[in-house]
Structures are given as C-alpha cells and as structure tokens.
Amino acid sequence: MGASESKLAFKEDIFRLSGTPDIPPNDPWWSRFYTLPESDSDVFALWSPTDLRALTAFDAHCSPDTPAPQKNAEILIYAVVRRLRKVVERGKAEGDEEGRELLNCVRVLTRLLPYLLEVEGLRAWEDAFFWQQRKGTWVWDTKYNHRGPLFDGLNPGKKVPEGSGEGSLGRPLGEELLDLLINALFLPGLTLPSRGDGNEKADNAITYSIWQSGIGCKQSVGMSKENERNAMEVLRLLLVVCSRAMYIMPNVAAQADVKALTYITTKSSRQVVLSLLCSLLNTVLKYNPASWRVPLDLSAITKDPKQLLVTYSLQLLTVLIIYPVPGDEPNAFRKALGRLHRVEDFQFIQQGLTVVLSQPISGVASYVPTASKAVPWAPEMLVLSWELLQCNKRFRSFIIDTDRAHDFFVLVLYYAMDAKDDPARQGIVRMAILILQTLTVESTFGIRLNKSFIGQESLPAVLRISNFHGSYADYLITSVHSLMTTTKGRLETVYPALLAIISNIAPYVRDLQRATSSKLLDLFISLASPTFLLSGGDNHTMLSSLLESLNAILEHQYESNRRFVEIIARSHKRFEALRNFTVNGALAEVDRMAQERKDRNSGIMSPVRRVSTDRPSVDGARSPNGNSRQTSLGNVPEHSAFAIGNDDDEDDDDMTRPTAPQSHVRGSRASSVDDAVPVQSRSMSEKARGKLPVGQGSFSRETSRNTSTTSLASMPPATPTTAIGSGMPSTFTPTPEWLETWLPHLPLHTILTVIAAEHDRDPALRRRLFSSTTSIPTPPAVSLSSPLTDSPSPPKVQHFHWSPLALGWYLSMLWGFIYAADGLNNPGSNGLWAGTHVKLFLVERRADGGVSLRRPKGAVDAVGGEIARRVAGLGFGGGGSTSSSPVVGSVREA
C-alpha cells in the first residue's frame, strides 16, 4: 500500500472510530491503528481535534452519575497497550516493521490522552480505568440493545463471568503502561542498538543500560539517530501521561496527586530510578549546542533528533525531580539526585550546565550573528540548576567553595537582567532571583564575593555597568538595586527575596564602593518614604529588612567599610526623620507632594521648589544597549526614581499621571536634602506627636490612589494586605496605633549610634550632608575602631521556604516552559497539548499567529503574595502582578 493510500485508509478508520459505536474488541480492524500510519505526522495531522472530541464525548449507555468516554476509546487504548506489551515483554523489537508498529501504538496514545485528560467530567472514569485494579469491561450489543458480556480488555478472548466484574483482573492499566514505556526506553532494536544474540531469555532481555557516558557510566551504548528518534517519541508519551497537572488550577496543583508521577517516583525499583535518572541527566549534560554538528540558528531546529531528545529528556527529568509526592513518602528521583557525591560527577554537571547557560554570553565576541542566541531549553536548565542547589548540599558546596560561584552567579544574573523588561518572561526573572537567594544563604559565598570583579567589559550589554570598579559584592548589590528600580513594580512580589539577598551577604562584604553605598542608601530612602509606608499595612517589614542589612554591615565589617560609614554619617537627617515619623506628618507630606504634582501639571511651580532637571535618571545606570546614556558609576545620584508597585495601576485623575519630563522633575527635586526630610520631622516636635488624637488623619485606599506617583521614590501604591486566594484587597487605614506596632521596633539603634560617634569624631560631617557630588575621601590608612560596644548579632540567614502556593507557581512555570517548547517543536495542530483546555495557565491567541501563556485569573496575586510572604519571612502582601500577567512567554505557531 502506498503512502497516500495508507493515509486515506487511516483517515477512513478514524471516521469509523468516532462514527460507529461499540465496535467488537476482537475485530482485526483494531490493528490498523498501529499498522497503517507511516510516521508520527500521519497520526497527528489526520486525527483532528474534532475527531478526538467526538471520541471522548460521554457514552450514552453509561450512567449519568459515572460518565465515561465512548467505548471505542477504551477498546482502542486496550488494543495499543496490548500490542505494546507483546513486544516489550519479549524484550526485543524484531525488524523495522515491528518497531514501527510499536511506535504507532505510542503515537496513538500520545494523540488521544490529552483530550481525555482535559475533560473535567471524566476524572472519576480516568481514576477507575487507569489507576484502580483492572476489571472486566464490555461493549453495547446493538443487535439485542443491551450490555454485552464482560471480557478482559487486554485479552478480548478471555470472558469474565457475570457477577465477577468487580473482581481484579490484574494491576492498574496506568501502572502497566508506565512500566512498558520505561522498559521501552531500554528496548534493543527500538531505543538501543539491536543485539546479535536472539537466544536470550525474556526475563533477562531488558537491561537498563545508561544511554550516554557520564554519571554512573563510562561508556555510551552507541545509540543511532534512529534510536534517538524512537526514544524521543517514548519520552514524549511519558510527558503526556504525566501532564495531569496541566489540567489543574495552580492554586491546588501542589496538593494534587498526579498518580502517574506518584507511581514513577515512589514505586520504581532502584535500578530503574538510577538508570533512567543517569540516562536523562547524561543526555542533557553531554550535549553541546555550540558544536559544529548543530545549525547556527538554534531557534530553527525543530526536527533534529538529538536536540529533540535532549529537550524531552530535560523536561521529563525536571518534572520527575520537582514533583511533590503526597504524604511523607520521598521522591526517589530527587533522593537519588541529592545523593550524588563524586567530585568528577559534580565537574561533569557543572560543565554541562555552563555550556548551555553561557551560550548567549560566550558568543558576545563572535562574528557569527546567531552565536549569541540562548539555547531554547535554557529555562529548563535553570530549573535543573536550582534543583541541584536545593537538594544536593555537596554540589552546592562544590560550586560555592571555588571561584565557579562567581561565574555561575553572573550566568544566572544574565537571565534575570535580560528578561526583566519583557513582561512575557517574568517567571524566568523571579526564578533567577530565587536561585541567587539560594546561593547567598551560604556564608562562604558572601565571603568570596569580596574578590575584585575584573573584565566585565567582555559581558553582554545588559550586564555591563559603565565605569564599574569594585568587587563581586558591589556588582551584586548594584544589580539588585537595578532590578528593584527599573522594573516598574513588575517584580514587586519578589522584592523581599531581593532584599534577602542583600541581607544574607551583608555580614561579609568588605570595602564597599561609594556608588554601591549610595545605592543602599537610595533603597532606604525609597522604602522609608511616606507614600510607600502608608500604602500597605506590611510595607514597613521591607524597610526593617533593609535596616537589618545596614546594621549587619556596621556590626560585622565596620572597619573595612569606611566609605559606607561616611555616607551613613552624612545622611543622618534621613534616619532622624524616620525616627520622628508620624501618621499626621506623613499625610501632610503626601498632600504637599500631591499639590506640587498638580502645580507641575498645570505649569505652575513655586520658585522655592524650582530646581534643575538635568540630573540623569537611575534607569541609565545600566543601559541595555550600553550607550552614552549610561551614568558613570562614580556619579550615580544618591536619590533616584524608584518604583515599587504595579505599573498597571491607574489613577482616578488623568492629570495625576506624570510624563517623562515630570519624572525628571520629581527625581531632581529629591536631590535636595531639605526636601527629602518628611514634613512631619520639621513641623512637629516629640511633644506634639504625643498629643495626636487617636485615629486622626485617616488614610483610605482612594487617598493612596490619588497620591501614588508623588513620593521621592516614585512608587505606585503596593497592594494592601490580601487574603491568600481571595483576590480582593482589604482597605488599609494607617493610624497612630498601627504606627506604634512597628515604628518603636525598627532596628535604628545601631545606625544612630554610629552616626553619633562619627559626628563626635568629625563634627564637620553633621554640616557636610551627603549628595551625589559629595567627595568622599580615601579611607584612612589606620582603621578606626567600631563605636559599637555590644557583640555583633549572629548573621541572620533568610532562606527560601516553599509553600503549596509557591510550589503551584513553580509547577505552572515549568509546565509553561514545556508547553511553549512543544509549540515551537511541533507547530500548529501537531502540538501534544495544542487545542486542549489547559487550566494551569491560560493560552491566549495573538493576532500574529502566536500564543501567550498567562496565569488564570485570581491565581497570580495569591501565588505572588504567598511567595512574598514565605520567601524571606517578611509578611509582605504585595500584588505586583495582575491577573493576566504571563507565566512563561509566547509561542509563535506556524
């Protein structure tokens, strides 16, 4: 039969399958589904979503209380699994014809299962059919119009006596299918080279040989391109079987029992776990995308079998190791990954990760236009890197105890800086930030950051800082400042993680440069501004976290950070203003700035407040293009525009929205030290503050909206404290009672003690206030002793703590990567999940033919808020992302 005739016959069989109900299970016609197709494209192109949905519609002969798909769907699944079992249990695929039949069985299941998983009403049927003990099944007898006799689906000739239908005929079908697929990954003649000896016993035929040399194996099995292509198709079906999470809302995804993943990660034998883990890991880490065998345009690779094998290997590996097994049972794959300990294995892992992640950086100096493009599976490789750092302490020590930590943290930072301005890639930015926080919990990492950072000119433009000089600590703090000040609130939910990074390294940093110290003070000014503190009941926790970081520098590294101490001493009015903070005074300050904004918008400005507007913006401190707009690091202004909040917030009055020139006016006004001190510290004494009536000066949500763009920090209001999952913000009203719950507990004592001591040592510091043009003298040759008499407090380590909602965000991001990659590798209707109604994220069609992946409505704020609460223990209830914010990115379909 020719190829065209085969396709026509297969299409006719598809029509019969969905149009003729209850075809007898012992009819030889069923074999046509694994004998006719010539390739995977036949199955995917000829089997349309309409045909599949007709097959998965509820069977009219089933009880409405227990809906099930058409009986033809069940019989087809039994037929292809039966054929799979016959070949795999023999332990060898004999000839090309049998191998093609086995692959066609895989393709049929790959095409059908996503359409079964998407139907909400089939949850109970799916659980009974795949994951409970196998029972007798039946088809409708159309001749006599009643239910036919019971039979064994995997052996249609075996009749089941009436009354024993509730009995067990064997293991659950889903478990048998998973075992068959895993064995098929190690099947000679299909995914491994054929063996010459045909006299091997079936029991011993399957040998779990690791595919590639590397971890656990010193010699590759020698897979051919055909073997790699076949293994890729089996891996693809395993991903589909495990993709139940795609059809679950992210708020409950972490608690969901995905039975396929639970079985693989808890019931697989130790030999299977180690062989599959090492095969997948070695395949991923040994592949060099920059080799001469790969086309230069990485985005154009869609049918290279080696690249597809690497992609699906990495995706299945990450899905297996991050799966949270319900209950207390450990994940065997994650446990095995955490037990790796050989130095040569760690070297192999580190080299493989670096080759992929450094692709955009290593190609900077290349003359090849496409050499600097990121590898398509780089996001999944970041996930693997993070998992290795979290679950294997030995690997984390291996990275951190050497200079490899410097290169690795720069690589991770590249992905954060490169994606920070792209709303569709915010998930990558958040993940990179949390990876950095994971690194900084180790004290050795903080100590090693004091090494001088040389050669940043060779880095991509997004990583370069004009006229930079300093250590890796200076570079990291500057980068954190840039992420917080140039993203317009898109990363608000992970601001606590960024502050935790500073907090974790603060006790160990030495010789901070003047520009870095200025940026730390700039963050303090922004977080201590009245607009920010009054816009959310928990916002002060971020200020407290930063103050603790400043204290840690002073307590642990006072003598070695003279520039930082000088800047703190010259900025004494800032800290004194915070000590004298009052609700009434802050409200007066907010009103004053609101009036000034209205005056500016109407073209009226008080002569007292009119200042030059030629001060450079903070956004120029790190220009993506490295152009002349970049501000010299030595001249970065102390007080910069700083946006905390949601850039999508809208003001009630259009006149309150500042334009670009107004932003410069606002920023330049902040350079005046007198202006920067809040009104309440200039107009109210301590005595007057104590006489404030209780509840005076209420501050409503509407007040917050009307003044959201006027503070020194240029901060839109942070979302008030929100109940997890509710999506409804509560109204916050600051009162003197609320103020007393946190203001007296701010850790200001250490800073004020240092300021007083420095002023006693050099009274001129009180008069010479710090500004962007202040000349800071070279630290004295003889170190001055610390005025702090108490012993330094132990360094406070802020770990990242997982919660169910944070894990739901993580799972949605990973499956979003997988969905996006599948859309690129299998464009149009050939995608594994294309056209199905996934729930873990929303798939929105764009006018240009592509799709955008977004989180479902109501899921983002809940997940983001929980991450903000748990990431650093600060209790910050921000809502920096809207309900339509992207989860991973965009896919362009053919």
Side-chain angles (χ1 to χ4, degrees):
M1 181 181 290
S4 59
E5 295 176 350
S6 174
K7 291 180 179 180
L8 180 60
F10 184 65
K11 187 63 179 179
E12 291 175 350
D13 291 335
I14 291 174
F15 287 147
R16 183 187 177 192
L17 181 68
S18 57
T20 305
D22 305 318
I23 302 172
N26 53 2
D27 193 327
W29 173 82
W30 291 102
S31 64
R32 294 168 64 86
F33 283 91
Y34 52 78
T35 58
L36 286 180
E38 299 289 337
S39 65
D40 63 336
S41 61
D42 288 350
V43 177
F44 280 83
L46 298 177
W47 215 338
S48 70
T50 303
D51 299 326
L52 290 161
R53 288 206 167 90
L55 193 61
T56 58
F58 294 163
D59 192 334
H61 301 305
C62 293
S63 169
D65 297 331
T66 56
Q70 300 295 310
K71 277 296 176 180
N72 285 347
E74 290 188 6
I75 304 305
L76 176 61
I77 294 173
Y78 278 129
V80 295
V81 173
R82 182 168 66 247
R83 180 58 177 160
L84 269 173
R85 186 171 68 170
K86 182 178 179 180
V87 178
V88 173
E89 287 186 348
R90 187 197 311 137
K92 187 176 183 180
E94 297 178 348
D96 294 341
E97 187 66 24
E98 191 168 71
R100 184 171 64 86
E101 290 183 6
L102 194 150
L103 287 176
N104 281 335
C105 293
V106 169
R107 293 159 183 165
V108 167
L109 291 173
T110 303
R111 185 59 168 159
L112 174 61
L113 289 181
Y115 287 85
L116 290 170
L117 295 176
E118 75 166 346
V119 183
E120 186 72 31
L122 294 180
R123 294 287 188 269
W125 167 86
E126 176 197 343
D127 183 69
F129 184 75
F130 284 105
W131 306 112
Q132 294 180 15
Q133 293 293 312
R134 190 159 46 85
K135 303 171 184 177
T137 187
W138 52 269
V139 295
W140 193 258
D141 190 334
T142 55
K143 182 177 180 180
Y144 297 101
N145 196 28
H146 64 73
R147 196 185 75 172
L150 295 173
F151 62 92
D152 183 353
L154 292 182
N155 186 8
K158 180 182 177 181
K159 302 301 179 182
V160 179
E162 289 292 338
S164 61
E166 296 301 320
S168 172
L169 297 178
R171 300 170 55 215
L173 182 64
E175 294 183 4
E176 288 206 25
L177 175 60
L178 288 173
D179 286 343
L180 290 173
L181 294 178
I182 291 175
N183 287 338
L185 291 174
F186 303 94
L187 184 67
L190 183 75
T191 53
L192 296 182
S194 299
R195 286 195 292 260
D197 185 6
N199 298 321
E200 295 154 337
K201 296 181 180 180
D203 304 26
N204 304 321
I206 295 291
T207 56
Y208 297 101
S209 304
I210 298 175
W211 299 344
Q212 299 287 341
S213 60
I215 300 173
C217 179
K218 294 184 178 179
Q219 185 176 359
S220 300
V221 296
M223 298 171 72
S224 65
K225 287 190 175 181
E226 189 67 25
N227 295 146
E228 293 174 346
R229 186 177 292 107
N230 296 343
M232 177 271 296
E233 292 205 49
V234 178
L235 288 174
R236 192 168 63 168
L237 175 54
L238 277 170
L239 267 177
V240 167
V241 176
C242 297
S243 64
R244 155 57 59 205
M246 277 200 186
Y247 303 94
I248 302 174
M249 290 294 291
N251 293 349
V252 296
Q255 297 95 338
D257 182 5
V258 180
K259 290 182 171 59
L261 286 170
T262 299
Y263 177 76
I264 296 177
T265 56
T266 61
K267 303 301 181 183
S268 299
S269 66
R270 183 173 183 272
Q271 184 181 17
V272 168
V273 170
L274 294 179
S275 298
L276 183 56
L277 176 68
C278 293
S279 294
L280 299 176
L281 197 57
N282 292 350
T283 300
V284 169
L285 296 175
K286 199 172 181 180
Y287 182 64
N288 186 356
S291 65
W292 61 270
R293 293 169 297 175
V294 179
L296 293 175
D297 189 0
L298 294 172
S299 63
I301 310 173
T302 57
K303 291 301 179 183
D304 174 42
K306 185 69 173 179
Q307 188 254 357
L308 289 176
L309 178 64
V310 170
T311 300
Y312 288 118
S313 295
L314 178 57
Q315 291 172 354
L316 181 61
L317 176 63
T318 51
V319 166
L320 290 174
I321 62 179
I322 76 169
Y323 175 64
V325 179
D328 299 327
E329 202 164 358
N331 182 324
F333 286 85
R334 188 176 183 85
K335 185 177 179 181
L337 193 68
R339 286 186 170 180
L340 296 177
H341 61 278
R342 299 170 60 205
V343 175
E344 51 266 39
D345 290 343
F346 291 155
Q347 291 173 340
F348 175 72
I349 293 173
Q350 184 264 334
Q351 182 179 5
L353 295 174
T354 303
V355 165
V356 172
L357 295 178
S358 63
Q359 187 71 20
I361 296 178
S362 61
V364 169
S366 173
Y367 292 100
V368 182
T370 59
S372 61
K373 288 189 177 182
V375 177
W377 58 92
E380 293 95 318
M381 196 64 99
L382 277 176
V383 174
L384 178 60
S385 303
W386 193 15
E387 291 304 314
L388 282 162
L389 291 171
Q390 290 182 95
C391 71
N392 195 310
K393 295 181 180 179
R394 299 182 187 92
F395 177 74
R396 188 165 68 238
S397 298
F398 171 80
I399 293 291
I400 291 176
D401 291 345
T402 64
D403 288 343
R404 299 180 187 90
H406 298 140
D407 297 334
F408 184 74
F409 117 72
V410 172
L411 287 178
V412 174
L413 191 59
Y414 165 77
Y415 287 93
M417 300 303 301
D418 183 60
K420 71 181 179 68
D421 296 322
D422 185 356
R425 299 163 64 198
Q426 295 305 293
I428 295 177
V429 184
R430 289 173 169 85
M431 179 172 57
I433 290 170
L434 297 178
I435 292 174
L436 292 175
Q437 184 185 359
T438 303
L439 286 172
T440 59
V441 300
E442 300 290 342
S443 59
T444 307
F445 181 77
I447 295 171
R448 289 191 172 274
L449 287 178
N450 290 309
K451 179 181 177 181
S452 180
F453 192 170
I454 302 174
Q456 66 123 10
E457 295 79 9
S458 62
L459 297 177
V462 295
L463 286 178
R464 289 197 296 268
I465 304 173
S466 179
N467 299 325
F468 174 81
H469 58 277
S471 65
Y472 281 89
D474 289 292
Y475 187 79
L476 179 56
I477 293 174
T478 302
S479 300
V480 168
H481 177 273
S482 177
L483 287 169
M484 294 183 72
T485 59
T486 64
T487 51
K488 301 179 181 179
R490 286 188 296 269
L491 300 179
E492 183 181 359
T493 55
V494 287
Y495 283 168
L498 290 167
L499 293 175
I501 291 172
I502 296 177
S503 176
N504 289 339
I505 67 173
Y508 313 106
V509 296
R510 302 169 62 89
D511 297 322
L512 284 178
Q513 297 298 309
R514 173 179 173 274
T516 309
S517 303
S518 173
K519 285 177 170 53
L520 288 173
L521 183 66
D522 180 53
L523 291 178
F524 164 75
I525 295 168
S526 302
L527 296 176
S529 69
T531 302
F532 179 66
L533 288 175
L534 297 185
S535 63
D538 292 331
N539 287 358
H540 59 84
T541 56
M542 296 179 68
L543 173 61
S544 180
S545 176
L546 182 61
L547 287 173
E548 289 177 353
S549 301
L550 304 183
N551 290 342
I553 298 174
L554 297 174
E555 291 178 6
H556 294 269
Q557 303 294 339
Y558 182 91
E559 293 81 2
S560 59
N561 281 296
R562 291 303 303 163
R563 297 183 186 89
F564 176 75
V565 173
E566 289 271 1
I567 288 179
I568 292 293
R570 296 186 185 210
S571 306
H572 61 94
K573 283 192 175 183
R574 301 286 186 178
F575 299 97
E576 293 167 357
L578 178 61
R579 181 186 59 187
N580 299 325
F581 192 93
T582 64
V583 172
N584 272 14
L587 289 170
E589 173 77 353
V590 169
D591 292 340
R592 182 182 65 84
M593 289 188 292
Q595 184 61 46
E596 285 190 0
R597 183 181 66 252
K598 292 181 179 180
D599 292 344
R600 285 197 300 271
N601 290 341
S602 61
I604 303 173
M605 183 175 291
S606 169
V608 178
R609 298 298 180 192
R610 187 178 296 115
V611 294
S612 174
T613 62
D614 59 353
R615 191 180 65 84
S617 168
V618 69
D619 290 6
R622 187 197 296 271
S623 172
N625 302 319
N627 55 22
S628 59
R629 291 185 69 251
Q630 289 182 319
T631 305
S632 168
L633 190 64
N635 295 316
V636 173
E638 173 195 0
H639 314 136
S640 309
F642 180 75
I644 292 183
N646 188 348
D647 59 333
D648 292 329
D649 284 345
E650 296 180 359
D651 292 330
D652 292 332
D653 185 358
D654 290 340
M655 293 300 290
T656 65
R657 298 174 184 169
T659 60
Q662 294 163 6
S663 298
H664 283 281
V665 172
R666 180 175 62 247
S668 61
R669 185 184 57 79
S671 63
S672 169
V673 173
D674 184 64
D675 287 348
V677 179
V679 167
Q680 69 269 22
S681 64
R682 301 197 299 268
S683 61
M684 300 187 69
S685 65
E686 288 290 333
K687 183 177 180 180
R689 178 185 169 195
K691 293 181 179 180
L692 283 175
V694 175
Q696 183 175 344
S698 61
F699 186 75
S700 67
R701 178 63 175 167
E702 290 305 315
T703 306
S704 172
R705 288 176 60 86
N706 291 333
T707 60
S708 62
T709 58
T710 60
S711 71
L712 295 171
S714 165
M715 305 176 190
T719 302
T721 304
T722 306
I724 295 298
S726 69
M728 295 297 294
S730 61
T731 301
F732 168 68
T733 302
T735 63
E737 291 81 6
W738 162 79
L739 189 67
E740 291 302 318
T741 63
W742 60 268
L743 184 60
H745 306 291
L746 282 181
L748 282 169
H749 176 73
T750 298
I751 295 175
L752 295 177
T753 300
V754 168
I755 289 174
E758 289 295 315
H759 288 176
D760 291 341
R761 183 184 63 81
D762 183 4
L765 290 175
R766 181 179 293 275
R767 298 187 299 273
R768 296 200 303 269
L769 301 177
F770 177 73
S771 69
S772 60
T773 57
T774 302
S775 175
I776 301 296
T778 303
V782 179
S783 298
L784 300 176
S785 60
S786 172
L788 304 174
T789 57
D790 296 336
S791 300
S793 56
K796 182 180 179 182
V797 180
Q798 298 189 23
H799 294 267
F800 176 73
H801 300 287
W802 286 104
S803 71
L805 288 175
L807 189 54
W809 159 78
Y810 193 35
L811 290 173
S812 67
M813 182 183 66
L814 175 59
W815 281 107
F817 291 152
I818 295 173
Y819 186 97
D822 179 68
L824 293 174
N825 292 327
N826 304 291
S829 61
N830 292 332
L832 301 183
W833 303 278
T836 63
H837 302 303
V838 297
K839 293 185 177 180
L840 198 59
F841 42 80
L842 297 179
V843 181
E844 297 183 353
R845 305 288 166 177
R846 300 199 311 266
D848 62 357
V851 295
S852 296
L853 309 183
R854 299 179 181 274
R855 293 194 183 94
K857 185 177 181 180
V860 173
D861 289 341
V863 174
E866 182 66 9
I867 289 177
R869 286 173 171 80
R870 298 301 300 273
V871 74
L874 295 177
F876 177 64
S881 300
T882 64
S883 60
S884 61
S885 67
V887 62
V888 53
S890 303
V891 182
R892 182 172 180 83
E893 295 185 338

